[in-house]
């Protein structure tokens, strides 16, 4: 994720004071937690299985566009979506990076219960940043990037697997988008011009939001997952999510609290981050929130692993995967009990 440099998002300028990779503007505001509701019966999310899905992606090697690992992992994502009952669309496109590279990219979309009119969108990016530029000793080297991408995909896969295996399925439709080329923005050391709407970042979600996989596609709301498997993860309420989908934010955090996951989902407002939910909100007009590991009290907002060699399987925590996955399963089943 990164801050944007674009006239198409001028409304953000009132909030953003720096357009620097992975910087934020903390907020001291707090939001009240919604009243407790009766929880719908929901199957159990298996953290061991989610961990397997994360590890499987990492074993392909860094999923950098224009590499064999990227192709093989993309094929695996398509096959796994089909395995768990999804109709699949591959959206191929050729973005140009900040330094002129043409990439062979693809967004991967899966849908279950396609006839349902009430639809929930789940998303994560699946690509790997091409270098660990936040690592002081390995700025140009590739890295595993286990949390930044694969953790979100792994949680979504386990949600789909659990639903398929359950005798009780949610009645809402569920759409999944795995965005490509989220993480190929320029390093801080780059001094050249960047003539891209998002400063070289978010290319997959930007493309999808302007070229929806189905004409007039929409969703009741969306949830983006980014870095949702790290040890010690904390999820706070970013300003873009609160601006566009405040009711969704409060509902998700309230359900997490009822399930006993308040140590992960902090009832704390946060400043601006720019992630794949921004093009979805702005261009596609779908109210999407971001569940992202934000650590405002740690001295390292995105964790000291972020864009470094430390982002490998050693930081993936099954407790964190469980908290996110069980919360999202509950959200989906709760929505099945509510009329649109």
């Amino acid at each position: 994720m990164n801050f944007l440099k674009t006239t198409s998002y001028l409304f953000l300028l009132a909030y953003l004071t720096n357009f620097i990779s992975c910087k934020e503007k903390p907020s001291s505001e707090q939001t009240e937690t919604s009243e407790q509701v009766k929880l719908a019966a929901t199957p159990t999310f298996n953290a061991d299985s989610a961990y397997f899905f994360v590890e499987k992606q990492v074993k392909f090697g860094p999923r950098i566009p224009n590499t064999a690992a990227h192709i093989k992992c993309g094929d695996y994502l398509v096959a796994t979506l089909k395995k768990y009952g999804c109709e699949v669309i591959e959206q191929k496109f050729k973005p140009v990076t900040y330094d002129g590279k043409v990439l062979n990219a693809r967004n991967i979309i899966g849908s279950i219960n396609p006839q349902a009119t009430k639809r929930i969108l789940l998303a994560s990016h699946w690509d790997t940043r091409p270098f660990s530029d936040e690592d002081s000793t390995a700025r140009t080297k590739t890295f595993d990037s286990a949390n930044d991408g694969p953790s979100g995909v792994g949680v979504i896969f386990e949600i789909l697997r659990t639903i398929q295996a359950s005798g009780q399925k949610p009645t809402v439709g569920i759409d999944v988008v795995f965005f490509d080329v989220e993480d190929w923005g320029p390093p801080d050391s780059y001094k050249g011009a960047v003539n891209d709407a998002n400063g070289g970042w978010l290319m997959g979600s930007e493309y999808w939001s302007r070229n929806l996989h189905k004409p007039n596609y929409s969703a009741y709301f969306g949830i983006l997952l980014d870095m949702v498997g790290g040890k010690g993860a904390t999820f706070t309420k970013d300003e873009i999510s609160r601006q566009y989908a405040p009711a969704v934010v409060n509902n998700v955090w309230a359900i997490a609290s009822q399930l006993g996951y308040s140590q992960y989902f902090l009832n704390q407002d946060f400043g601006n981050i720019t992630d794949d939910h921004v093009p979805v909100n702005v261009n596609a007009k779908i109210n999407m929130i971001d569940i992202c590991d934000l650590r405002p009290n740690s001295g390292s907002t995105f964790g000291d692993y972020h864009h470094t060699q430390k982002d490998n399987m050693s930081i993936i925590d099954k407790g964190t995967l469980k908290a996110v996955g069980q919360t999202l399963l509950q959200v989906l089943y709760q929505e099945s009990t509510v009329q649109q």
Side-chain angles (χ1 to χ4, degrees), residues 19-89:
F19 292 95
I20 305 174
S21 176
C22 297
K23 297 294 190 294
E24 73 298 323
K25 185 178 72 174
S27 170
S28 60
E29 298 177 4
Q30 300 293 311
T31 304
E32 294 296 326
T33 302
S34 302
E35 293 183 4
Q36 290 197 345
V37 299
K38 182 179 180 180
L39 296 178
T42 302
T44 299
F45 182 91
N46 187 322
D48 290 330
S49 181
Y51 184 94
F52 164 82
F53 287 128
V54 177
E55 187 175 45
K56 178 71 174 180
Q57 295 168 79
V58 171
K59 285 182 176 179
F60 285 109
R63 286 77 52 210
I64 302 168
N66 291 1
T67 67
H70 182 263
I71 294 171
K72 290 177 181 178
C73 185
D75 291 345
Y76 164 73
L77 300 185
V78 170
T80 305
L81 286 172
K82 291 179 178 178
K83 178 180 178 181
Y84 296 127
C86 289
E87 294 182 354
V88 178
I89 295 174

Side-chain angles (χ1 to χ4, degrees), residues 88-296:
V88 178
I89 295 174
E90 297 182 61
Q91 188 181 60
K92 297 183 179 180
F93 60 109
K94 291 183 176 293
V96 180
T97 67
Y98 66 89
D99 53 353
K101 294 183 177 68
V102 178
L103 304 179
N104 296 302
R106 55 173 160 170
N107 293 324
I108 299 170
I109 303 103
S111 299
I112 62 175
N113 199 10
Q115 72 278 5
T117 56
K118 182 178 182 179
R119 311 202 62 77
I120 310 300
L121 175 63
L122 303 178
S124 176
H125 80 89
W126 68 278
D127 61 303
T128 304
R129 185 157 177 74
F131 34 70
S132 56
D133 56 313
E134 296 298 322
D135 193 313
S136 60
T137 63
R139 295 189 189 280
T140 62
K141 292 183 179 179
T142 61
F143 64 116
D144 289 344
S145 192
N147 196 27
D148 197 355
S151 63
V153 174
V155 167
I156 291 173
F157 273 162
E158 179 54 18
I159 288 172
L160 297 177
R161 189 201 67 79
T162 302
I163 289 172
Q164 188 194 56
S166 174
Q168 179 189 8
K169 295 179 172 56
T171 58
V172 295
I174 301 171
D175 299 304
V176 171
V177 182
F178 295 142
F179 295 123
D180 203 355
V181 205
E182 185 261 10
D183 230 352
W184 201 310
D188 290 344
S189 60
Y190 182 74
K191 303 303 180 184
V194 180
N195 298 316
D196 174 82
N198 306 312
W201 305 83
L202 315 183
M203 288 191 277
S205 56
E206 177 70 20
Y207 184 86
W208 178 85
S209 69
R210 296 185 182 277
N211 302 272
L212 298 174
H213 63 285
K214 290 185 178 180
N216 302 313
Y217 171 79
S218 189
Y220 195 48
F221 62 82
I223 300 176
L224 174 68
L225 305 182
D226 197 352
M227 299 186 293
V228 293
K231 293 177 181 177
T234 56
F235 308 112
T236 51
K237 305 172 183 179
D238 77 277
E239 194 160 0
I240 298 301
S241 298
R242 289 183 285 112
Q243 177 184 354
Y244 283 94
V248 180
V249 174
N250 290 339
N251 181 53
V252 171
W253 262 250
I255 286 175
S257 178
Q258 283 190 246
L259 293 174
Y261 299 129
S262 293
Q263 73 271 34
Y264 299 97
F265 288 81
L266 304 185
N267 186 31
Q268 180 177 348
D269 290 353
F270 196 79
N272 283 282
I273 60 168
T274 296
D275 208 347
D276 282 322
H277 63 324
V278 174
V280 175
N281 277 301
V282 175
N283 300 332
K285 310 301 181 185
I286 296 171
N287 295 335
M288 173 175 272
I289 70 168
D290 192 6
I291 299 177
C292 179
D293 186 0
L294 302 170
R295 308 186 186 196

